Amino acid sequence: MIGLMDCNSFYASCEQVFRPDLSGVPVVVLSNNDGCIVAMNAAAKALGIRRGTPFFQARSLLASSHAAVFSSNYALYQSMSNRVMDVVRETFPMVEIYSIDEAFIPLPYAVSDLLSLARCTKSRVEQCTGIPVSLGFGRTKTLAKIANRWAKKRFPREGCFVLQEDREEVVLRSVPVADIWGVGTRKARVLIAHGITTAWDLRNASEYWVKKRLSLVTLKTLWELRGKPSIADELVPPPRKGILSSQSFSRAVTESRELEEAVASYAERAAAKLHAQGSTAAWVSVFITTSRFAGEQRYGAGASRRLDPPADYLPDITNAALGALGEIWRPGFRYAKAGVFLFGIDTSESRQPSLFTVPDPRKAAITRAAGLIREKYGHRGLRCLHAGGHRTWSMRQEHLSPRYTTSWADIPQAR
Amino acid sequence: MTVPLFGELIPAGFPSPASDYEEGELDFNTLLIKRRAATYCIKVSGESMTGAGILSGDILVVDRSIQAADGDIVVAALDGEFTVKRLRLRRGCVVLRPENPAYRDIVIGDDQDFLVFGVVTGVVRTLRGGKA
């Protein structure tokens, strides 16, 4: 058996833990730059608001229903996610974190009363973190996903469901193919056109036909529906092949200095991720683009610079990024977005020493010292000069909540 | 390579006779936090608990994993606000008792929005030069 635990309306739930005044109030959370609605609680769903709705379209409805609106507070969500996963781990030591609000729970041993263990875990997580969760168990990951949805839909109060083999037919017959994990809308259309409308139909479809007409991925889904685990366990996430840091600006950017500031700070963020996984990059690529809307003059370009030898040294990465930016920047455009992409990623163990260049030991020492300074004074404690301007272009977050669990200045108050 | 900071690598002089007995220094986290995942920090505002040694501006260490019992100091959400009081459970009646004669007991009525957020397990106060 394998389980899937996920948090209900995770971002909205995080906001509500520290705002008891919001109980029963519609709550929505916005994407980067406050663009679209990415999460909402049950009360907001009841207003008919859908995920992905642009904020400006829902604005008047939200205001008239006295809804609470939040910008994405990733520091808070990550902290609450870590807490949820820690509590789950107390009962199920092998937790395979799948996303910020989901985790697979492999059970290599038989558990006699899985349902009560699941219920117990759910109430423990809710007590310790205030975040409501659902748990579903099945013979494979795909079946666990289905069991989890079933728990949410059929047993919303209990929030737990164990899909035993002898119940699979009943459940799979009522799951539309489009709702199966890994079956997108395009694949679902093909399947439905061939009379395969439910998960039970796909389970009984011809392996040959599925592989030929769709893909190996869909064949794996079919095997999973038959109870044969075919999607690998990934307790350790594979090292990234490339690292992207990019963002839309809160307003159009025209000055090259501001663009440099943005690119330098994205380079900083990408380099931090590179460093955290102990890798080096061989290439730094930069792209800039104007807005796709509003009938403005369009321009978009990218350029790459090689790092030789491959490096994780921030000043090298920043210089390469700014050099690449210099090649593609053109005056007279209103830029909407920029990004830095690191690729040619090499993990420490497999890294080849270069034959012709000796690494500068001072760079490793500076990187280490910079890491220590940041640990003590936070991410903004030490920056490249290029990244340290006024950042008037940076993400719009007009509805940001306090970082209740990660900043002393932001902790909640009690009278 | 990391360089050990103590003992054997000192080129001249004697190795410390205590280096085999080196232990980690005292860490306040181990004193104050039992279950990290369930521990939250909340700042006190107001004088209602001065009798229990809890002053305005103190930081409460709140553990949500503990089931609140009669006599515990708790942080509760009452009508949409957090409050810190002593919890009294008597004859099916929930009372939030301040520890200051200038304040009155709060008897929780059926129509009130009430929830215990967590049990207060510690109080942190910094004096001169403290960060918080």
Side-chain angles (χ1 to χ4, degrees):
Chain A
M1 280 275 175
I2 185 161
L4 178 77
M5 183 279 312
D6 80 344
C7 305
N8 305 346
S9 314
F10 181 57
Y11 292 179
S13 299
C14 290
E15 299 290 352
Q16 289 195 258
V17 169
F18 301 98
R19 289 286 304 274
D21 58 307
L22 296 182
S23 120
V25 173
V27 173
V28 301
V29 178
L30 307 176
S31 61
N32 285 342
N33 280 321
D34 295 347
C36 310
I37 292 166
V38 290
M40 64 232 129
N41 67 356
K45 269 177 210 158
L47 292 176
I49 289 166
R50 293 283 160 268
R51 188 197 259 248
T53 309
F55 178 40
F56 72 86
Q57 276 180 17
R59 202 166 202 151
S60 62
L61 173 63
L62 290 168
S64 63
S65 24
H66 304 286
V69 176
F70 293 98
S71 303
S72 288
N73 185 344
Y74 293 112
L76 173 66
Y77 308 152
Q78 191 57 56
S79 159
M80 295 308 288
S81 170
N82 294 343
R83 289 163 182 265
V84 168
M85 301 301 177
D86 281 352
V87 178
V88 175
R89 233 179 249 119
E90 286 171 17
T91 323
F92 302 105
M94 286 174 66
V95 168
E96 189 185 307
I97 294 169
Y98 181 68
S99 70
I100 193 165
D101 60 352
E102 283 174 291
F104 284 107
I105 304 168
L107 292 177
Y109 38 80
V111 174
S112 60
D113 192 354
L114 192 50
L115 187 60
S116 15
L117 201 58
R119 281 185 196 139
C120 178
T121 307
K122 176 185 159 68
S123 71
R124 200 73 185 142
V125 171
E126 291 179 8
Q127 180 173 5
C128 291
T129 67
I131 304 288
V133 298
S134 309
L135 286 105
F137 285 83
R139 290 193 293 152
T140 63
K141 285 185 177 176
T142 307
L143 291 169
K145 276 260 188 189
I146 287 172
N148 184 292
R149 275 183 65 97
W150 195 263
K152 276 211 192 81
K153 277 198 156 160
R154 301 290 171 110
F155 308 102
R157 232 158 225 278
E158 181 165 55
C160 298
F161 181 68
V162 177
L163 179 52
Q164 300 291 359
E165 198 176 340
D166 57 358
R167 295 269 295 149
E168 281 171 6
E169 179 171 353
V170 180
V171 172
L172 295 192
R173 276 186 189 282
S174 68
V175 174
V177 277
D179 289 353
I180 304 170
W181 185 43
V183 177
T185 43
R186 197 189 54 82
K187 278 183 192 169
R189 228 176 287 137
V190 176
L191 289 166
I192 291 165
H194 288 82
I196 297 171
T197 57
T198 68
W200 186 249
D201 297 338
L202 180 57
R203 178 194 189 275
N204 297 323
S206 139
E207 291 185 21
Y208 175 77
W209 180 84
V210 166
K211 192 178 172 195
K212 198 171 154 237
R213 189 66 184 78
L214 290 149
S215 64
L216 181 61
V217 179
T218 317
L219 182 61
K220 283 187 176 171
T221 303
L222 178 153
W223 287 333
E224 287 248 321
L225 291 172
R226 289 182 185 173
K228 181 180 157 205
S230 308
I231 295 167
D233 293 349
E234 285 178 5
L235 278 173
V236 181
R240 302 159 197 257
K241 296 210 173 67
I243 293 173
L244 174 70
S245 172
S246 97
Q247 213 152 60
S248 301
F249 304 133
S250 57
R251 58 168 174 80
V253 163
T254 52
E255 303 292 310
S256 73
R257 191 194 49 75
E258 286 183 318
L259 217 47
E260 280 175 8
E261 190 178 292
V263 164
S265 69
Y266 299 158
E268 205 170 69
R269 217 181 301 158
K273 286 184 201 161
L274 184 71
H275 202 69
Q277 66 177 47
S279 310
T280 58
W283 291 88
V284 179
S285 163
V286 170
F287 66 86
I288 51 177
T289 165
T290 54
S291 168
R292 288 178 290 128
F293 306 113
E296 289 181 17
Q297 252 208 320
R298 285 202 207 170
Y299 172 69
S304 301
R305 284 283 169 102
R306 178 132 194 222
L307 293 170
D308 191 27
D312 64 352
Y313 183 56
L314 177 60
D316 285 352
I317 291 169
T318 306
N319 281 335
L322 293 175
L325 175 65
E327 275 175 41
I328 52 178
W329 185 74
R330 301 280 176 276
F333 291 103
R334 292 159 57 75
Y335 294 96
K337 186 174 184 174
V340 172
F341 186 61
L342 305 179
F343 59 108
I345 304 290
D346 203 350
T347 51
S348 302
E349 298 97 66
S350 60
R351 212 183 286 161
Q352 291 281 328
S354 166
L355 275 178
F356 307 106
T357 47
V358 181
D360 185 343
R362 291 174 301 178
K363 290 184 176 177
I366 289 173
T367 302
R368 204 163 341 115
L372 290 173
I373 290 171
R374 289 198 169 145
E375 219 168 85
K376 195 159 179 185
Y377 297 102
H379 266 287
R380 300 261 159 96
L382 182 72
R383 321 202 57 177
C384 269
L385 190 57
H386 284 286
H390 296 293
R391 304 170 65 94
T392 54
W393 45 268
S394 83
M395 191 152 71
R396 187 185 297 141
Q397 292 185 306
E398 285 169 3
H399 311 274
L400 193 61
S401 55
R403 289 171 296 152
Y404 300 107
T405 56
T406 55
S407 160
W408 285 116
D410 287 4
I411 62 175
Q413 290 210 355
R415 296 178 169 281
Chain B
M1 191 186 79
T2 55
V3 181
L5 287 171
F6 55 88
E8 277 62 53
L9 288 188
I10 297 171
F14 298 98
S16 161
S19 66
D20 281 354
Y21 300 91
E22 180 157 316
E23 290 184 347
E25 293 296 323
L26 292 174
D27 177 355
F28 282 106
N29 286 324
T30 61
L31 183 74
L32 292 166
I33 299 176
K34 220 177 209 148
R35 285 170 58 112
R36 183 172 287 274
T39 302
Y40 299 81
C41 295
I42 293 183
K43 195 169 211 144
V44 179
S45 130
E47 315 290 331
S48 69
M49 292 299 283
T50 50
I54 295 175
L55 309 183
S56 193
D58 285 357
I59 291 169
L60 303 173
V61 180
V62 180
D63 190 336
R64 283 186 63 118
S65 72
I66 304 170
Q67 194 66 48
D70 179 46
D72 280 338
I73 294 177
V74 299
V75 168
L78 179 63
D79 293 331
E81 274 192 43
F82 286 129
T83 181
V84 53
K85 298 286 178 290
R86 194 177 294 281
L87 181 72
R88 302 308 331 236
L89 304 169
R90 291 218 175 125
R91 283 181 241 106
C93 206
V94 179
V95 178
L96 291 179
R97 174 158 300 165
E99 297 274 339
N100 181 338
Y103 290 73
R104 282 204 189 150
D105 282 6
I106 304 167
V107 182
I108 307 302
D110 291 336
D111 56 335
Q112 277 179 300
D113 242 345
F114 172 77
L115 200 77
V116 173
F117 180 86
V119 175
V120 177
T121 56
V123 184
V124 180
R125 182 179 314 141
T126 52
L127 301 175
R128 185 169 149 167
K131 192 173 179 178

